[in-house]
Amino acid sequence: MKKFLFVLVGVFFLLAAGSVSLRADENEDASIVMVVPFQIHSKEPLDYLSNSLALMLSSRLDAYNEITTLDESVVSETIKRLGINIEDEESARKTGGETKADWVILGSLTKIGEPISLDIKIVDVATNKPTVSVFYEDKAMKGLINGVNIAAKRIHNKILGKVIITDITIRGNRLIEDEAILYQIKSKAGELFSQKKIQDDIQYIYNMGCFSDIQVDSTDEPLGKKITFILKENPEIAEIKITGNKEIKSEDIQEEIDIKLHKILNYNEVKNNSLKIKRFYVGKGYYDVMVDYKVDNTSPNKAAVIFQIVEHHPMKIKKISFIGNENLKSRKLKKIMETRKKGLFSFISGAGIFKEEALQQDIDRIKAFYYDHGYMDIVVGDPEVKHDKKWIRITISVEEGEQYRISDVKIAGDMVEPEEELMKYVKITREEIFSRRKIYDDIMALTDVYGEYGYAFVDITPLTNINADDKTVGLTYDIVQGEKVYFGKITITGNDRTRDKVIRREMRVKEGNLYNNKKLKKSKERINNLGYFEDVKLNSKKGSEPDKMEIEVKVKEKMTGMISAGAGYSSVDNMVGMFQISQNNFLGKGLRVALMAQLGGNSRYKFAVTEPYLFDKEISAGFDIFSTDLEYDDFDSKNQGFELSLGLIPFGWEDYSLGFSYNFSNVEISNIYPDADYEIRESEGDTKTSSLATVFARDTIDDRFYPMQGSINSITLEFAGGPFGASEDYVKTMVDSKWYFPFKWGTAFMARGAMGYARGYGGKDLPVFERFFLGGLDSLRGFEYRHVGPRGEENPDDVVGGNKMMLFNFEYLFPLIKAAKIRG
């Protein structure tokens, strides 16, 4: 504390030394002020601050050109000569008169414990006006300098007659909070009083629309004016009525308006809501609707808002006509328009409703459609809308001009690859009809290429050299690559259950990495393919530095678990009970856990756990314990065992995976019917199988649950034989390739080919339950599960399976319920 006080005194003396030069060039019109040494009230020895505080306050006042303070030597000599202590207003005026000062400043410092306070009096020497006091307090000594600064400013304002706003209060408001009103007011406490600003504040409050009368009361106080805004609020909305509506329900209209009961009436909002109701009616085809409003005061503080509607009759679009379109047929132009004429199923589709905004957008669509077909001189006139009492007729005139073709295509500017390599991404070609849509697609393709090199803000401008004589366009893609961009902060939001690291480990980009839009798209695909989220968005924005881009991963979680239980009865299985619980994101860690039990004629038990990131590495591991008891037409099968699995990404190849699994099972074939084929009869009894399998796969599909493009290719090798008393020896291999191709309207094609081969070794045959069977939704559609394959020699009705398999599928996939990812 003592060290701090010595530093403080040093600062005071430096400031005081500066004040000498300030007072050397005095302003003749300035007010002369005498600052008397401060009185000190403290148990600590702080008397040395008496003169220091006076010097510091003098230096602060001298900083204002309108004030000149007396030199401290003049003050001390005058006090000594008069032989008085200046402690009250009378002695202050006497001393001030001797020095010809206009004002005398008396001050005291009080320190009790840690807190301090300054008490300063401003004495007018020439008049008997009441003395004004300035008071400041702080929690500690370090606030003393700030207190002197504040005191100097207040003294300055008082001496020069400047009126300060000491406080602003609000009266008369019932429902609108003070803070909301004060936010509109520009005048602030501590600032100079301005009558113009007060008038502006009144207007700002009026603009809120909640007050019918505003008055201002100003009260003089020793340090300035206290301002009070006295308000009269509009009445409270006690009722909202809708009248005149016959065709549209009041409930539907209520959903369109946003004024609420028990809120303060705002005439601006009421007017805006009447316009909303009119737009709502126009959207329903009531082109001539009239909507008005009025306010009835039901009591001094309550009012009813009444919307008065005259519906007239709904008008539908009867006809849309085009004039001047010789090359593009009217039916093609109508297809791209949102505006449609009334049809047989308009009650379902909503077609036939006139919307002016939609029609204006349709004009832009028509222009774009012509540009896409090479008509660069297209002129589309303002639509002519005519209506009678029932129908609306729309006529659109066009001037097509002639069709333009591409004369040349080039790439110029900054090159990340040779021009001939970049041209491979350009689809529009020479002699082809000019198409703005294809040019846009080319720009997007080139943008993706530059994005892989870190140029996130590449600027690609299609420069066109139009030759009106031969109707050709020379096209040049001018590229300005800009600066390379790096990934900044990556944040994840929306994941209430799923842990951050589960999402972050799927990201193919890291903070600090060079920007790569291909990896960014891949990150979104991988997060989406987890199956934990309804929606995944990756939003990018510029970072704190020009070469940084921040990424926000925004997810919307969905249910990833299931619990089901049930019981039933059938003539085949008798009583059947079932319980199943599964969770694909257990504890939000990405663990997949499943437990299932079914009791009855066909009994099944299963417990499986898979960790997709073992030790936080891209290594998956899991186990599966199972027991299955099935009854077929010709025999019963009971299969019990377990499986261990391990998977990894080989050599860091992004889309590839290499998996290993070990399976041990005991299959018991029993209750074989007498007329079953001999190959089935030979399988009777217990069969132990110990097998090791490996799968090498490549997966590039865009969405695991709703694929539109990409492929899944895999090769599986299985070797059976070995320990634990295994009695079956065989090898099996499978090749499977599935490809998706996007088409129009959210549809896609799928082509698949699969082959398999298996055989026993060591003198053993391939067991029936390891043979190939086809049939079922995931195999050969139109046939029952396992009902396609070689048949028995003794009983041709029995499908005994084969050791070779080849399958081809070609499917057309179309959405049924896209939101639920269900398609046919």
Side-chain angles (χ1 to χ4, degrees):
M1 174 60 74
K2 289 183 178 179
K3 184 178 179 181
F4 172 77
L5 292 177
F6 283 127
V7 172
L8 190 65
V9 171
V11 173
F12 287 169
F13 278 114
L14 286 173
L15 293 170
S19 70
V20 174
S21 61
L22 289 170
R23 281 176 276 180
D25 184 17
E26 295 182 356
N27 183 354
E28 294 181 358
D29 297 326
S31 297
I32 299 175
V33 177
M34 182 175 74
V35 182
V36 178
F38 277 55
Q39 296 182 24
I40 308 300
H41 306 293
S42 173
K43 292 182 179 180
E44 300 177 31
L46 301 178
D47 291 342
Y48 58 88
L49 290 177
S50 177
N51 288 324
S52 299
L53 286 172
L55 287 172
M56 185 178 183
L57 182 57
S58 296
S59 69
R60 292 293 189 268
L61 293 174
D62 282 328
Y64 299 105
N65 293 328
E66 303 94 336
I67 293 177
T68 299
T69 62
L70 294 175
D71 190 273
E72 61 274 13
S73 60
V74 175
V75 176
S76 60
E77 288 175 4
T78 303
I79 294 174
K80 184 177 181 181
R81 179 167 50 83
L82 295 177
I84 59 174
N85 288 326
I86 306 176
E87 297 179 350
D88 53 26
E89 297 175 26
E90 183 179 350
S91 58
R93 286 192 174 93
K94 182 177 180 181
T95 309
E98 288 288 328
T99 58
K100 299 188 178 347
D102 300 308
W103 303 85
V104 176
I105 309 300
L106 306 176
S108 66
L109 166 68
T110 302
K111 185 176 188 299
I112 302 175
E114 287 298 319
I116 62 155
S117 62
L118 288 175
D119 193 355
I120 298 173
K121 294 181 180 180
I122 308 170
V123 180
D124 188 343
V125 176
T127 67
N128 291 320
K129 291 183 177 178
T131 298
V132 177
S133 296
V134 175
F135 184 75
Y136 174 83
E137 61 181 355
D138 205 292
K139 295 180 179 179
M141 198 72 176
K142 61 183 180 181
L144 192 56
I145 294 176
N146 185 52
V148 173
N149 293 337
I150 293 173
K153 184 176 181 180
R154 293 179 178 175
I155 293 169
H156 165 262
N157 292 331
K158 176 61 181 175
I159 289 175
L160 297 182
K162 294 182 178 180
V163 180
I164 303 300
I165 300 174
T166 59
D167 191 19
I168 298 176
T169 58
I170 308 295
R171 280 184 14 212
N173 52 318
R174 296 177 297 109
L175 298 179
I176 306 298
E177 296 181 353
D178 287 2
E179 290 76 9
I181 302 168
L182 290 170
Y183 181 78
Q184 303 295 326
I185 295 173
K186 305 308 178 193
S187 300
K188 305 297 179 186
E191 296 180 352
L192 291 176
F193 173 82
S194 168
Q195 188 64 44
K196 183 181 182 305
K197 286 183 72 173
I198 295 296
Q199 292 299 322
D200 291 341
D201 290 335
I202 293 173
Q203 187 59 51
Y204 295 144
I205 298 174
Y206 265 124
N207 291 343
M208 294 177 69
C210 299
F211 304 98
S212 58
D213 185 53
I214 303 172
Q215 297 183 12
V216 178
D217 178 60
S218 61
T219 304
D220 291 328
E221 294 187 338
L223 293 178
K225 285 183 178 292
K226 178 180 179 180
I227 306 300
T228 303
F229 289 89
I230 305 169
L231 314 176
K232 182 179 180 181
E233 275 186 348
N234 289 338
E236 175 188 344
I237 300 175
E239 187 178 7
I240 301 173
K241 293 181 181 180
I242 298 173
T243 63
N245 55 311
K246 298 178 181 178
E247 300 297 328
I248 297 181
K249 296 179 181 179
S250 296
E251 293 81 3
D252 295 336
I253 300 172
Q254 287 278 6
E255 291 181 2
E256 299 299 316
I257 62 178
D258 54 20
I259 59 173
K260 304 296 181 183
L261 292 174
H262 310 301
K263 297 293 183 180
I264 291 296
L265 175 66
N266 186 319
Y267 285 94
N268 295 332
E269 292 182 358
V270 174
K271 181 179 179 181
N272 290 336
N273 275 271
S274 69
L275 295 176
K276 287 182 180 181
I277 295 173
K278 181 169 184 176
R279 286 195 295 268
F280 178 64
Y281 264 92
V282 170
K284 295 288 185 181
Y286 293 84
Y287 193 59
D288 286 340
V289 66
M290 296 175 61
V291 182
D292 200 358
Y293 66 90
K294 69 175 184 177
V295 176
D296 286 345
N297 292 320
T298 57
S299 69
N301 294 321
K302 295 185 183 297
V305 177
I306 304 169
F307 292 102
Q308 300 168 318
I309 301 171
V310 180
E311 291 178 333
H312 291 123
H313 52 81
M315 289 185 289
K316 298 287 186 178
I317 299 172
K318 177 71 173 179
K319 187 177 182 181
I320 301 175
S321 303
F322 287 90
I323 300 175
N325 57 316
E326 298 177 359
N327 297 297
L328 296 184
K329 301 299 183 184
S330 296
R331 60 181 178 82
K332 288 187 176 181
L333 299 177
K334 291 176 183 178
K335 275 187 177 181
I336 65 171
M337 296 175 64
E338 179 183 342
T339 306
R340 302 288 177 92
K341 71 175 185 178
K342 184 180 183 297
L344 183 62
F345 298 101
S346 291
F347 67 96
I348 297 175
S349 64
I353 297 174
F354 176 78
K355 298 179 182 178
E356 187 173 353
E357 182 179 347
L359 183 58
Q360 292 302 320
Q361 292 174 354
D362 286 336
I363 299 302
D364 294 334
R365 291 188 182 99
I366 293 168
K367 291 179 181 178
F369 190 68
Y370 267 98
Y371 287 142
D372 287 342
H373 287 77
Y375 294 94
M376 300 188 66
D377 298 327
I378 180 65
V379 177
V380 182
D382 293 331
E384 182 181 351
V385 180
K386 295 181 179 180
H387 62 89
D388 51 28
K389 294 183 177 180
K390 186 177 181 181
W391 296 105
I392 296 174
R393 292 172 175 83
I394 301 171
T395 303
I396 302 172
S397 62
V398 297
E399 296 178 18
E400 292 178 331
E402 294 187 45
Q403 200 173 43
Y404 284 70
R405 290 184 177 270
I406 299 294
S407 61
D408 194 17
V409 183
K410 297 178 181 178
I411 297 177
D414 301 326
M415 302 283 189
V416 294
E417 295 178 9
E419 183 179 2
E420 57 269 20
E421 292 297 320
L422 291 175
M423 285 297 296
K424 293 179 181 179
Y425 301 97
V426 176
K427 300 305 179 185
I428 199 165
T429 59
R430 187 180 178 185
E431 303 297 332
E432 188 176 348
I433 294 173
F434 179 89
S435 172
R436 193 170 66 173
R437 178 182 57 80
K438 288 186 178 180
I439 292 174
Y440 174 81
D441 292 341
D442 287 345
I443 292 174
M444 292 297 100
L446 290 171
T447 299
D448 286 344
V449 174
Y450 276 74
E452 292 183 34
Y453 287 89
Y455 298 104
F457 305 117
V458 59
D459 183 16
I460 303 177
T461 305
L463 303 178
T464 55
N465 182 15
I466 301 174
N467 189 329
D469 295 333
D470 60 4
K471 304 302 178 186
T472 61
V473 179
L475 178 62
T476 302
Y477 293 108
D478 185 60
I479 302 175
V480 179
Q481 64 189 21
E483 298 296 326
K484 286 190 174 183
V485 176
Y486 297 82
F487 288 109
K489 187 177 181 181
I490 299 175
T491 57
I492 300 173
T493 61
N495 54 319
D496 297 328
R497 295 188 301 273
T498 306
R499 300 192 181 189
D500 267 25
K501 76 171 186 177
V502 173
I503 301 172
R504 201 173 289 273
R505 67 195 183 192
E506 300 299 328
M507 296 289 291
R508 301 297 95 182
V509 299
K510 308 294 181 185
E511 294 174 354
N513 285 3
L514 185 66
Y515 174 86
N516 188 307
N517 64 323
K518 185 177 180 180
K519 290 184 177 181
L520 203 59
K521 291 178 181 178
K522 189 66 178 179
S523 299
K524 181 179 179 180
E525 287 180 7
R526 290 180 65 93
I527 296 171
N528 186 67
N529 286 338
L530 289 173
Y532 307 158
F533 311 107
E534 289 182 17
D535 188 39
V536 178
K537 293 180 180 177
L538 267 64
N539 301 320
S540 59
K541 64 178 181 179
K542 289 189 176 181
S544 55
E545 300 176 21
D547 64 340
K548 290 290 190 298
M549 176 181 284
E550 295 182 359
I551 303 297
E552 179 194 26
V553 182
K554 191 173 183 179
V555 299
K556 183 179 180 182
E557 290 185 317
K558 67 179 180 181
M559 297 299 295
T560 56
M562 177 184 71
I563 299 177
S564 60
Y569 176 84
S570 73
S571 59
V572 177
D573 297 331
N574 296 321
M575 289 297 299
V576 177
M578 187 273 291
F579 172 79
Q580 180 175 347
I581 178 171
S582 64
Q583 174 59 261
N584 290 331
N585 187 17
F586 187 63
L587 300 177
K589 296 182 177 181
L591 280 170
R592 296 191 290 271
V593 180
L595 175 63
M596 185 270 288
Q598 178 177 311
L599 305 175
N602 289 327
S603 299
R604 294 179 177 87
Y605 305 92
K606 180 178 181 179
F607 177 57
V609 177
T610 302
E611 167 57 78
Y613 277 79
L614 189 63
F615 308 123
D616 286 330
K617 305 292 184 182
E618 287 190 295
I619 300 173
S620 65
F623 68 87
D624 187 346
I625 301 172
F626 56 86
S627 175
T628 306
D629 194 351
L630 301 175
E631 295 181 0
Y632 294 103
D633 293 339
D634 298 328
F635 62 92
D636 294 345
S637 171
K638 185 175 184 180
N639 187 5
Q640 294 178 322
F642 66 90
E643 182 176 272
L644 304 176
S645 62
L646 184 72
L648 52 88
I649 297 177
F651 312 113
W653 296 345
E654 175 63 37
D655 298 322
Y656 292 83
S657 63
L658 181 62
F660 303 93
S661 64
Y662 173 75
N663 181 289
F664 181 83
S665 63
N666 181 69
V667 179
E668 180 185 351
I669 303 297
S670 60
N671 296 329
I672 299 177
Y673 286 82
D675 59 348
D677 193 85
Y678 77 94
E679 292 191 59
I680 296 176
R681 295 199 305 270
E682 285 186 350
S683 301
E684 186 173 14
D686 289 353
T687 302
K688 291 182 174 61
T689 303
S690 175
S691 67
L692 183 66
T694 180
V695 180
F696 183 62
R698 181 174 184 264
D699 183 350
T700 61
I701 60 172
D702 56 344
D703 189 326
R704 183 177 300 170
F705 306 98
Y706 200 88
M708 293 294 291
Q709 63 182 1
S711 65
I712 306 175
N713 305 279
S714 65
I715 300 175
T716 304
L717 299 173
E718 184 181 1
F719 175 82
F724 308 116
S727 56
E728 297 298 333
D729 299 322
Y730 63 87
V731 292
K732 181 186 288 188
T733 181
M734 280 283 298
V735 178
D736 199 336
S737 182
K738 187 180 293 186
W739 295 76
Y740 292 89
F741 305 94
F743 193 55
K744 300 178 181 179
W745 316 300
T747 65
F749 291 103
M750 188 277 288
R752 178 192 180 193
M755 294 185 296
Y757 174 76
R759 68 175 180 85
Y761 68 90
K764 295 184 179 181
D765 293 330
L766 185 68
V768 172
F769 49 81
E770 292 296 342
R771 295 179 184 179
F772 295 108
F773 297 84
L774 295 181
L777 293 178
D778 195 41
S779 172
L780 191 60
R781 295 181 185 273
F783 294 88
E784 293 184 30
Y785 177 67
R786 291 173 64 94
H787 272 58
V788 177
R791 297 181 179 271
E793 295 181 2
E794 294 183 352
N795 189 348
D797 292 333
D798 290 340
V799 180
V800 296
N803 68 332
K804 295 180 286 294
M805 180 274 292
M806 182 177 289
L807 169 71
F808 295 98
N809 300 117
F810 186 75
E811 298 180 359
Y812 178 61
L813 308 172
F814 51 89
L816 292 176
I817 307 175
K818 192 170 183 178
K821 294 190 174 182
I822 298 174
R823 60 184 176 183

